[in-house]
Amino acid sequence: MRNVRNILAVSCGYAAAVIGAGFASGQEIVSFFLRYGKGSIIGIILSCVIFSLFSYAVMSRCIEKQINDYGGFLDSIFHGKFANKVIEYITIVFALCSLCVMTACAGEAGAVLFGVRNVYGAAVFAVMCGIIFAIDAKKMMQLNSLLGAVIIFGIIFSCIYILRFREHQVMSVSGKMVVSGAVYAGYNLLTSGAVLAGMSRFLKSKGEALISSLASGFTLMIMITLIWGVIGIYYGKIQLGEIPMLTMTMRQNNMLGFLYGIMLIFAVVTTGVANGFVVMDTIGRKAGRGKTSALIAAVGFCMSGAGFSALVDSAYRVCGYAGLAVVCVIVIKIFKNMKNVTK
């Protein structure tokens, strides 16, 4: 029974790491899937296969070598500092981009929920993050699993509620959907490796790693498909705004919209804080915690002016190609090492 609980905990923890405000808002689903038509369900399936494959590759390697941190995992497959540094720098860039996106989302959420200008919501979020990073309040990270479970339940419940009032949807089909699905998985996995390496300590065998990886991939596919179906009902028919899922829930009733908005704020905070600490743990050691926290908070606030949807569609897409390349290299190296061991 304990093994089952551990498998479920790891599966939910990994799914929660992938879910951020871009996911919960529905903007990622619009940018990477829905705009390519109803055939983009193929891209959704492909992205979730990549999520599962990467999860199994990382955790099985960590279990085999008895590793429980990402640095040790990278050392075990690359055996050199150059590749590790390249991946570290790519991860830092993505983490900073993600913090900018979360700051922009906080501004949009503040405007929708409380009627304040975007700039004020973004400023409050940036200041809050700067304080958390400066005082090294890493206990905030302990809330991720709990809030992740709340977010997963909230997304599924809200989507099912809205689908009770479904309408027919009409969308076009595009051949770019497969590439877009792969890119979507790519940028989400840039920082997931550290999460997976840490959680691998709760699993005892590669078989458990496989079950956990399949379960998390299936959970993500269910949530992505539900959001895709909900937004697709009105896509191209009404103005969805910068936060499509918040628009959809508020169309049903104000209470559902408000509750979904609170859940979205949870996602913004957990994602922003997690990615901020990725930057702090690398740059902060050299430049100093105070200066680094102020710098990344300022960058997040300034870049948020570009707009939430614009940042998701541009910064995340560029990071997605880089992330996909990193994921492919890591998976290939792992399976090559496995092949060499079996010979």
Side-chain angles (χ1 to χ4, degrees):
M1 183 60 71
R2 184 178 180 182
N3 289 351
V4 173
R5 288 200 302 268
N6 286 343
I7 290 172
L8 289 175
V10 171
S11 300
C12 290
Y14 177 41
V18 172
I19 298 170
F23 184 109
S25 70
Q27 189 58 246
E28 287 182 358
I29 312 305
V30 171
S31 295
F32 288 89
F33 302 110
L34 199 54
R35 65 167 50 173
Y36 299 113
K38 56 187 176 183
S40 59
I41 190 68
I42 298 174
I44 292 175
I45 294 171
L46 175 62
S47 66
C48 293
V49 169
I50 295 174
F51 284 136
S52 293
L53 181 62
F54 183 74
S55 172
Y56 176 70
V58 172
M59 290 197 295
S60 63
R61 180 71 174 180
C62 289
I63 291 169
E64 178 186 353
K65 299 295 182 180
Q66 297 183 334
I67 301 166
N68 55 26
D69 65 88
Y70 198 45
F73 166 75
L74 292 176
D75 288 337
S76 74
I77 59 175
F78 289 113
H79 309 294
K81 293 184 178 180
F82 177 75
N84 290 6
K85 282 293 181 184
V86 170
I87 293 175
E88 181 181 344
Y89 291 143
I90 291 175
T91 302
I92 291 172
V93 170
F94 169 71
L96 192 55
C97 287
S98 183
L99 182 62
C100 294
V101 173
M102 294 307 103
T103 308
C105 187
E108 293 292 342
V112 175
L113 292 173
F114 307 111
V116 299
R117 290 180 58 189
N118 293 25
V119 65
Y120 297 136
V124 169
F125 181 77
V127 171
M128 181 194 72
C129 286
I131 293 172
I132 292 172
F133 301 148
I135 63 176
D136 196 19
K138 288 195 174 183
K139 287 186 177 180
M140 285 287 295
M141 296 294 289
Q142 297 174 2
L143 292 174
N144 274 14
S145 296
L146 177 60
L147 294 180
V150 172
I151 293 166
I152 291 171
F153 173 79
I155 289 174
I156 294 175
F157 174 81
S158 299
C159 288
I160 292 174
Y161 183 93
I162 295 172
L163 285 172
R164 291 177 56 205
F165 306 97
R166 62 188 179 276
E167 299 174 8
H168 293 291
Q169 52 180 310
V170 179
M171 295 178 284
S172 60
V173 179
S174 171
K176 297 179 180 178
M177 55 195 172
V178 173
V179 174
S180 188
V183 170
Y184 173 73
Y187 77 79
N188 273 292
L189 292 176
L190 272 173
T191 53
S192 295
V195 176
L196 290 166
M199 292 191 301
S200 65
R201 72 186 72 181
F202 300 110
L203 303 178
K204 297 186 178 298
S205 67
K206 291 184 179 180
E208 291 185 1
L210 178 61
I211 295 171
S212 176
S213 300
L214 293 174
S216 56
F218 182 73
T219 300
L220 288 167
M221 186 173 70
I222 292 297
M223 287 190 292
I224 295 172
T225 303
L226 283 172
I227 294 176
W228 176 85
V230 165
I231 300 177
I233 294 172
Y234 295 107
Y235 184 68
K237 299 176 184 178
I238 66 169
Q239 179 56 252
L240 293 171
E242 290 285 288
I243 309 179
M245 279 300 296
L246 188 56
T247 301
M248 298 296 297
T249 52
M250 295 190 77
R251 283 178 64 91
Q252 300 302 314
N253 60 69
N254 289 335
M255 179 57 70
L256 180 64
F258 180 76
L259 292 175
Y260 197 90
I262 297 301
M263 184 198 69
L264 182 63
I265 291 174
F266 288 165
V268 169
V269 172
T270 55
T271 306
V273 169
N275 282 281
F277 275 123
V278 169
V279 181
M280 290 298 301
D281 285 343
T282 50
I283 300 178
R285 291 196 300 266
K286 301 175 182 178
R289 182 164 294 278
K291 292 180 180 178
T292 305
S293 61
L295 176 63
I296 61 179
V299 170
F301 174 72
C302 293
M303 290 300 297
S304 68
F308 179 50
S309 61
L311 286 171
V312 169
D313 200 38
S314 55
Y316 274 5
R317 197 170 293 275
V318 172
C319 289
Y321 285 108
L324 187 60
V326 170
V327 168
C328 287
V329 170
I330 288 176
V331 171
I332 289 171
K333 288 286 289 183
I334 288 174
F335 284 109
K336 275 188 175 180
N337 289 337
M338 286 181 177
K339 189 176 180 180
N340 291 336
V341 170
T342 56
K343 285 183 178 180

